[in-house]
Amino acid sequence: ETGVTQSPTHLIKTRGQQVTLRCSSQSGHNTVSWYQQALGQGPQFIFQYYREEENGRGNFPPRFSGLQFPNYSSELNVNALELDDSALYLCASSLGGAFSYEQYFGPGTRLTVT
Amino acid sequence: TQLLEQSPQFLSIQEGENLTVYCNSSSVFSSLQWYRQEPGEGPVLLVTVVTGGEVKKLKRLTFQFGDARKDSSLHITAAQPGDTGLYLCAGLGGADSGGSNYKLTFGKGTLLTVNP
């Protein structure tokens, strides 16, 4: 069984640029959630995708967008990067529905915006 | 806005000592989870508690969910250096989730250091 993988591991971008982060869910999982974890903070929910549809969103502006593909992998896109977007971006996969409480996290992508 | 308050924020102890960390909220959650996160890695799920008053044990770790499902505690007996990490509690669902169980709300975590 393959766990959750994320790419890239680290990324450095300049303010105003755009970035795409990728996540492959655990085998058999159809739900992917994205979280932002700033230094010294707990993860904050960005949004969740279930069977290719957005299934809930946290308090993040529209420049944070996502996609889920038929194989349930997912992308997080951030436009017009700001310095405060520097953080660890985590994705978590789950079975969805009644089992969505069991979320399995990937190692994260460390984004630095300069 | 639902908040989970964790205490203490930092804890440094010697190997063999016992410790308890707390997670408190003014909101009711449908379930509450504890994770451990090590530097450079994602959080790893330790346990999920669902029923008010529930107690779960995982080797030297004991987790308790409050009767009102608003608070939880994690007790570690005879801590070891391998227990070092950031302990996060997270609530699932709750009052402002529109009745949905999809959203995990995390506390800021307790950073535990166990010295040999």
Side-chain angles (χ1 to χ4, degrees), chain A residues 33 35 37 40-45 48 55-59 88 90 97 100-108 110, chain B residues 1 6 9 31 33 35 37 40-45 48 50 86 88 92 100-109:
Chain A
S33 305
Y35 294 83
Q37 187 176 22
Q41 304 291 318
Q44 285 203 315
F45 177 75
Q48 183 184 82
N55 184 42
R57 189 179 181 94
N59 294 325
L88 181 67
L90 297 161
S100 47
Y101 65 89
E102 288 199 345
Q103 298 191 14
Y104 295 87
F105 284 82
R110 172 72 62 187
Chain B
T1 304
Q6 289 191 244
Q9 191 175 352
S31 66
Q33 302 178 312
Y35 291 81
Q37 185 176 23
E41 298 183 11
V44 175
L45 179 64
T48 300
V50 179
L86 179 68
L88 294 158
L92 189 70
S100 171
N101 280 335
Y102 58 74
K103 176 183 174 182
L104 278 176
T105 300
F106 281 86
K108 291 185 178 182

Side-chain angles (χ1 to χ4, degrees), chain B residues 36-83:
Chain B
R36 187 174 80 197
Q37 185 176 23
E38 298 188 25
E41 298 183 11
V44 175
L45 179 64
L46 297 174
V47 77
T48 300
V49 286
V50 179
T51 306
E54 184 175 3
V55 177
K56 282 192 174 178
K57 292 193 175 184
L58 185 65
K59 296 183 181 177
R60 294 175 294 100
L61 278 59
T62 301
F63 304 86
Q64 187 162 5
F65 201 14
D67 291 341
R69 288 165 45 219
K70 293 183 180 180
D71 55 86
S72 182
S73 64
L74 158 61
H75 181 79
I76 301 179
T77 304
Q80 300 176 359
D83 296 327

Side-chain angles (χ1 to χ4, degrees), chain A residues 6-21:
Chain A
Q6 292 187 243
S7 62
T9 306
H10 296 88
L11 202 52
I12 300 174
K13 289 286 190 177
T14 303
R15 191 170 51 183
Q17 286 188 316
Q18 178 265 343
V19 70
T20 297
L21 310 181

